[in-house]
Each structure stands twice: as structure tokens, then as C-alpha cells.
């Protein structure tokens, strides 16, 4: 939630903190491949994979720029060697630069009518280099 708030201060949140915690704890983590990065016993990043979709990637703001996200994306690529896709909001310029730096290409832009925040978003796709 800190990561979302720091990256997207102008984006309407569709759910309360308690609803988000419940969703992660009860619905997302038990049914998706979830990875966390920790430092000194504290979670500093979380990544959730759903098949070929990089569904969630959040890094605690003090940990941005330290390579944690890079390592998680590299892990996602190893877990999804045939390719990955993800969605992010169009206004999230740092995330867009991050994913593009990792070889993801914008494949679709929407007006946000299909997401709960009603925020224009972009679908990114990563495909491995041909052998």
C-alpha cells in the first residue's frame, strides 16, 4: 500500500486498506505464485505471478533503486520463459520505464473503463529473444 501511494498519489483507490489486506491474504496469496523479498525479517517487495501474467509487483519506496525489483523481474522471466504480460497505469512513468528497461513492450493502451480505478492503463508484453 505504501508503494501504491508513493507511485500513484493521484490515482483513486478502489478499495480500503483492510479490503486490500484481505484480498492479498485470503484470495491472492493462497491461489497465486507469490514471492517476497525480505531484509532483516521485513518484507520489502512482493511479486505475484498468475501463469504468464506478472500480476503484482510492489517494492517498498525506501527499497526502490536497489535492484530488488530487477531481481524479481528476472525471477518472473525464469518462471515464465515463454513470455509474460502485465498491466500498469499509463500515469505510472517510473514503472513504465522500469518494465521497458527489462524488455517489456507496450502492446495495448486502454481508457481505463475495464479496471476498478477507471484509470487509463497499458498492457506490456515480454517475449524471450529467439534462440
Amino acid at each position: 500500500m505504501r508503494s501504491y501511494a508513493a507511485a500513484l498519489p493521484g490515482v483513486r483507490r478502489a478499495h480500503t486498506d483492510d479490503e486490500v489486506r484481505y484480498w492479498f491474504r485470503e484470495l491472492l496469496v493462497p491461489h497465486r505464485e507469490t514471492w517476497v523479498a525480505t531484509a532483516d525479517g521485513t518484507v520489502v517487495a512482493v511479486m505475484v505471478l498468475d501463469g504468464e501474467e506478472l500480476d503484482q509487483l510492489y517494492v517498498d519506496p525506501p527499497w526502490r533503486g536497489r535492484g530488488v525489483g530487477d531481481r524479481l523481474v528476472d525471477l518472473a522471466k525464469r518462471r515464465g520463459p515463454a513470455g509474460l504480460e502485465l498491466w500498469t497505469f499509463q500515469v505510472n512513468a517510473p514503472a513504465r520505464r522500469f518494465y521497458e528497461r527489462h524488455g517489456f513492450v507496450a502492446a495495448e493502451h486502454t481508457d481505463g473503463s475495464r479496471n476498478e480505478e477507471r484509470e487509463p492503463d497499458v498492457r506490456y508484453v515480454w517475449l524471450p529473444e529467439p534462440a
Side-chain angles (χ1 to χ4, degrees):
M1 288 179 276
R2 287 186 304 273
S3 179
Y4 186 100
L8 302 163
V11 174
R12 179 184 81 82
R13 291 193 46 204
H15 300 281
T16 67
D17 288 356
D18 286 341
E19 290 170 333
V20 172
R21 284 185 193 101
Y22 175 83
W23 179 70
F24 256 89
R25 182 182 62 246
E26 303 296 330
L27 303 175
L28 197 64
V29 172
H31 303 286
R32 303 285 190 279
E33 182 178 349
T34 304
W35 295 81
V36 295
T38 61
D40 298 323
T42 301
V43 174
V44 299
V46 63
M47 176 179 72
V48 178
L49 301 173
D50 184 9
E52 295 175 350
E53 183 175 8
L54 199 169
D55 187 41
Q56 307 285 320
L57 178 59
Y58 291 102
V59 177
D60 200 17
W63 286 88
R64 288 187 184 154
R66 296 185 181 193
V68 177
D70 298 325
R71 289 191 294 275
L72 288 172
V73 168
D74 289 344
L75 173 62
K77 288 178 177 180
R78 289 193 307 274
R79 305 292 296 163
L84 296 167
E85 69 176 23
L86 62 89
W87 288 91
T88 193
F89 295 123
Q90 292 181 29
V91 298
N92 195 347
R96 294 180 68 182
R97 285 191 302 272
F98 173 82
Y99 292 123
E100 289 168 5
R101 192 173 74 242
H102 285 278
F104 286 81
V105 176
E108 177 182 5
H109 292 78
T110 79
D111 62 4
S113 61
R114 295 183 303 195
N115 65 54
E116 294 177 306
E117 294 81 4
R118 300 296 180 245
E119 182 71 30
D121 54 8
V122 55
R123 182 172 63 91
Y124 276 94
V125 174
W126 169 79
L127 296 172
E129 297 280 331

